[in-house]
Amino acid sequence: DEPFGDPILIPTYFLSRVASRDVKVVLTGEGADEGQMGYIHQESLSVALALGKALPSALLRSIRRLVPGIPVSLLDRAFHYPSSMGLSGRGRLGELIGSLKSPGKAYQVFTSLFTAEERDRLYGPILKAGKTQAEEEYHGPLQARLDRSRAPLDEIYRHDLKHWLPDNILNKQDRMTMASSVEGRVPFLDHRIVEFEAALPRHLKIRMGRGKRLLRTLYHRRYSIRGRDRMKKKAFFMPLDGAFAPSFRALAGVYL
């Protein structure tokens, strides 16, 4: 029952509450991205790591120096995420480019909420001690494993299936559906589908930075989805920019 900080919990909870008015079991899409490399970090890293391998270090350093001068609006077009990366995201992109010679570091830069400098400023003595332990027992070995791998993207795929899927994705779905007395079932995680996907070569899961290749092909060829010709699929997303600022300031003012 430890706290869970992903804001997508909020719309998931309210959606589950609405569903509970009519049904007690729902089918959900969890596992589709994880099984076929459909997450933005997997898609982006598939391109970025290829560039990092092909380009010399001096050129990567030059590109990194150029990033602060690129308008955020232009950079947003390169990432199909529903929110803008903002100035902090632009800074993180520069850090990512600077780490592309190390797949393990690049993966952790892309998937970490805070930078190393931000963690140093935020953590007190106890958490800093825990950070040291985490570096020794988890982050360091993970980086070394990805750096040694001949196919780091495949290693990332296996890591996400083992950790990101059960510890994050399924965790929050199960909490929010059960809180609304709804049972969420995950057909994409039928063991036969997962085993089939895991055995596929990478190019059948992701190609040219676009994941879920087989699933997209199947749906386009066999299914007609109303409205597909008028609007694209959108991410299930919880915008936080400006959403809680007045309430948070009022709450913080009570204690400061």
Side-chain angles (χ1 to χ4, degrees):
D1 291 333
E2 62 187 12
F4 201 100
D6 192 332
I8 204 66
L9 288 170
I10 298 171
T12 303
Y13 174 66
F14 284 109
L15 184 61
S16 299
R17 284 182 58 182
V18 172
S20 70
R21 299 172 187 170
D22 301 305
V23 298
K24 288 299 177 186
V25 178
V26 295
L27 300 180
T28 76
E30 276 75 9
D33 286 305
E34 294 82 2
Q36 295 189 42
M37 292 186 171
Y39 273 115
I40 184 173
H41 70 271
Q42 295 167 335
E43 293 179 334
S44 298
L45 284 171
S46 71
V47 176
L49 292 179
L51 289 175
K53 186 176 181 180
L55 299 179
S57 298
L59 181 55
L60 289 174
R61 288 194 294 269
S62 298
I63 295 173
R64 182 179 185 179
R65 286 194 292 269
L66 293 175
V67 169
I70 302 175
V72 171
S73 58
L74 186 60
L75 292 173
D76 284 339
R77 297 179 185 179
F79 298 92
H80 55 279
Y81 196 69
S83 179
S84 172
M85 68 166 56
L87 296 178
S88 61
R90 185 173 64 181
R92 185 70 69 91
L93 177 61
E95 185 181 1
L96 174 66
I97 292 172
S99 65
L100 289 181
K101 288 299 183 182
S102 166
K105 185 177 180 181
Y107 173 73
Q108 295 189 62
V109 167
F110 205 116
T111 57
S112 297
L113 180 60
F114 299 109
T115 65
E117 292 76 14
E118 288 170 336
R119 288 193 291 270
D120 285 335
R121 292 199 305 267
L122 285 168
Y123 291 175
I126 296 176
L127 281 178
K128 282 186 177 180
K131 176 190 170 186
T132 301
Q133 183 179 357
E135 291 288 345
E136 294 173 352
E137 297 181 2
Y138 177 77
H139 296 290
L142 173 61
Q143 178 174 333
R145 188 169 79 248
L146 293 182
D147 288 349
R148 289 194 305 264
S149 175
R150 294 183 178 180
L153 202 64
D154 292 337
E155 193 70 33
I156 288 171
Y157 171 74
R158 290 188 287 269
H159 178 82
D160 287 343
L161 277 177
K162 185 177 180 180
H163 297 283
W164 175 261
L165 177 62
D167 297 341
N168 185 297
I169 305 301
L170 296 180
N171 188 333
K172 63 192 176 191
Q173 178 206 277
D174 190 54
R175 289 188 184 205
M176 295 301 97
T177 51
M178 289 290 97
S180 305
S181 299
V182 173
E183 181 179 343
R185 295 185 180 176
V186 282
F188 284 111
L189 291 178
D190 182 292
H191 71 91
R192 292 163 294 189
I193 295 177
V194 176
E195 290 165 3
F196 169 73
E197 291 171 334
L200 290 173
R202 188 197 319 148
H203 72 272
L204 292 180
K205 295 194 269 288
I206 186 170
R207 186 180 181 185
M208 298 179 68
R210 190 69 165 159
K212 293 193 288 192
R213 186 181 177 196
L214 281 183
L215 190 60
R216 294 179 196 278
T217 302
L218 174 68
Y219 270 75
H220 278 286
R221 290 181 179 177
R222 295 193 180 182
Y223 300 99
S224 176
I225 300 175
R226 187 173 60 186
R228 179 195 282 168
D229 58 334
R230 297 191 304 274
M231 60 187 301
K232 296 180 180 179
K233 176 190 172 189
K234 295 184 178 180
F236 193 49
F237 176 65
M238 175 64 183
L240 291 178
D241 295 346
F244 304 107
S247 300
F248 178 77
R249 291 192 188 102
L251 177 65
V254 173
Y255 298 100
L256 296 179

